[in-house]
């Protein structure tokens, strides 16, 4: 793994990250072209050791980050849609456990896009309760493949989620982020 790319990405995350009205603004850091490039390079280096055949991304930020990481690794990308997202073909659906806001979300993907035996890495911006990551792992497993890593910008995974998921790799932890102003 190239520590240069990961170190640069960490710098950009910590420099660009903001809280807006109590909510984490991960979109803002992606608006800066240098930060976007550095973050994609850092996520790519965190995903590379897992030797994925596919990158999986959850709507919405996973749809931005995932294809860029997949292209950098020379592998395919598979989307995971949230409730109401349209897919043609044979679709697998699962409902998450409650997320950090207490909401359950139906996630889905197309069965034919993930082949048995493939190694899959999930790319997302943030992990906290792990409910969407765990549900994504169930979708991947239902296709006969393996979720072999979760790669995120910010890791705040609960101990319970960490125990149920494959290794989680992140650019920063929640504790490293600037403190919310009151």
């Amino acid at each position: 793994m190239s520590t240069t790319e990961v170190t640069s990405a960490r710098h950009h995350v910590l420099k660009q990250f903001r809280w807006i009205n109590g909510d984490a603004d991960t979109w803002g850091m992606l608006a800066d072209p240098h930060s976007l490039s550095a973050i994609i390079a850092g996520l790519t280096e965190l995903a590379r050791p897992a030797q994925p055949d596919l990158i999986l991304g959850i709507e919405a930020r996973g749809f931005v980050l995932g294809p860029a990481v997949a292209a950098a690794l020379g592998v395919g990308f598979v989307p995971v849609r949230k409730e109401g997202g349209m897919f043609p073909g044979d679709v697998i659906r699962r409902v998450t456990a409650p997320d950090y806001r207490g909401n359950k979300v139906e996630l889905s993907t197309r069965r034919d896009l993930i082949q048995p035996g493939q190694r899959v890495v999930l790319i997302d911006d943030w992990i906290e309760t792990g409910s969407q990551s765990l549900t994504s792992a169930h979708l991947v497993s239902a296709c006969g493949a393996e979720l072999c890593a979760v790669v995120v910008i910010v890791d705040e995974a609960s101990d319970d989620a960490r125990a149920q998921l494959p290794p989680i790799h992140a650019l920063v932890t929640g504790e490293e982020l600037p403190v919310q102003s009151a």
Side-chain angles (χ1 to χ4, degrees), residues 123-182:
I123 302 287
D124 209 353
D125 65 328
W126 204 293
I127 185 169
E128 192 170 354
T129 66
S131 64
Q132 291 186 21
S133 297
L134 287 165
T135 301
S136 295
H138 293 304
L139 293 171
V140 168
S141 179
C143 295
E146 174 192 4
L147 185 68
C148 52
V150 176
V151 175
V152 296
I153 296 173
V154 181
D155 178 1
E156 284 192 304
S158 67
D159 291 339
D160 185 48
R162 200 172 300 285
Q164 296 179 62
L165 286 165
I168 300 169
H169 306 285
L171 296 176
V172 301
T173 65
E175 294 154 354
E176 296 174 284
L177 295 174
V179 177
Q180 292 186 60
S181 55

Side-chain angles (χ1 to χ4, degrees), residues 2 46-47 61 63 72 76 82 93 95 104 133 171-172 178:
S2 171
L46 291 176
R61 287 169 198 84
F63 280 22
K82 291 185 178 174
R93 299 178 198 290
V95 176
K104 293 181 181 182
S133 297
L171 296 176
V172 301

Side-chain angles (χ1 to χ4, degrees), residues 77-102:
F77 171 75
V78 175
V80 173
R81 302 294 311 259
K82 291 185 178 174
E83 197 163 351
M86 299 291 290
F87 269 133
D90 186 13
V91 177
I92 303 169
R93 299 178 198 290
R94 299 285 188 276
V95 176
T96 69
D99 65 13
Y100 69 99
R101 290 186 172 140

